[in-house]
């Protein structure tokens, strides 16, 4: 099940509207942000980013007056037991407005009805944003393993 709308429709946060409508995602803008201004996806090819978007739940935050996309979050999930929150990005002019926290809250609330056992993420520098929404460090990090780039 890949419901494309938030439970109660778009979420409003100040001058922004958060939506999970896939038709609103500005893939070129997302690619530019992530491939040029993120530490985790710097240099990611556009074709790879487009595949990632196509296979994921995507939320965007849009300025309510201009419609311009101002933030993005991507979720990989089976809608039953697990989700991976990734590629969370807030455009530089929109930072400091609480938009990142509002976007992550919208992700959490969107996934809530599915009863997932766990939503995971990795961050090097935004722990405070995620802690406000309820994320915490792993209790047993020694249980987790990864295959691939670390």
């Amino acid at each position: 099940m890949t419901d494309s709308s938030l439970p109660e429709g778009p979420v409003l946060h100040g001058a922004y509207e958060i939506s999970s409508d896939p038709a609103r995602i500005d893939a070129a803008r997302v690619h530019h942000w992530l491939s040029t201004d993120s530490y985790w996806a710097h240099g990611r090819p556009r074709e790879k980013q487009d595949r990632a978007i196509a296979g994921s739940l995507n939320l965007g935050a849009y300025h309510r007056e201009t419609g311009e996309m101002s933030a993005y979050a991507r979720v990989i999930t089976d809608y039953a037991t697990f989700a991976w929150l990734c590629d969370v990005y807030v455009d530089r002019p929109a930072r400091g407005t609480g938009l990142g926290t509002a976007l992550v809250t919208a992700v959490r609330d969107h996934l809530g009805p599915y009863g997932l056992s766990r939503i995971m993420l990795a961050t090097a520098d935004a722990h405070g944003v995620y802690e406000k929404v309820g994320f915490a460090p792993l209790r047993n990090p020694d249980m987790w393993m990864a295959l691939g780039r670390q």
Side-chain angles (χ1 to χ4, degrees), residues 44 47-58 72 74-76 87:
R44 182 182 288 167
E47 183 272 330
K48 185 173 274 198
Q49 184 62 52
D50 287 348
R51 279 195 339 244
I53 289 171
S56 303
L57 166 66
N58 303 276
Y72 173 75
R74 184 167 70 88
V75 181
I76 304 157
D87 289 346

Side-chain angles (χ1 to χ4, degrees), residues 107-136:
V107 167
R108 181 199 64 199
D109 294 350
H110 182 85
L111 294 172
Y114 298 103
L116 305 179
S117 302
R118 182 172 288 115
I119 302 172
M120 301 287 299
L121 64 84
T123 185
D125 60 1
H127 296 79
V129 171
Y130 299 107
E131 287 169 348
K132 290 177 191 173
V133 182
F135 285 87

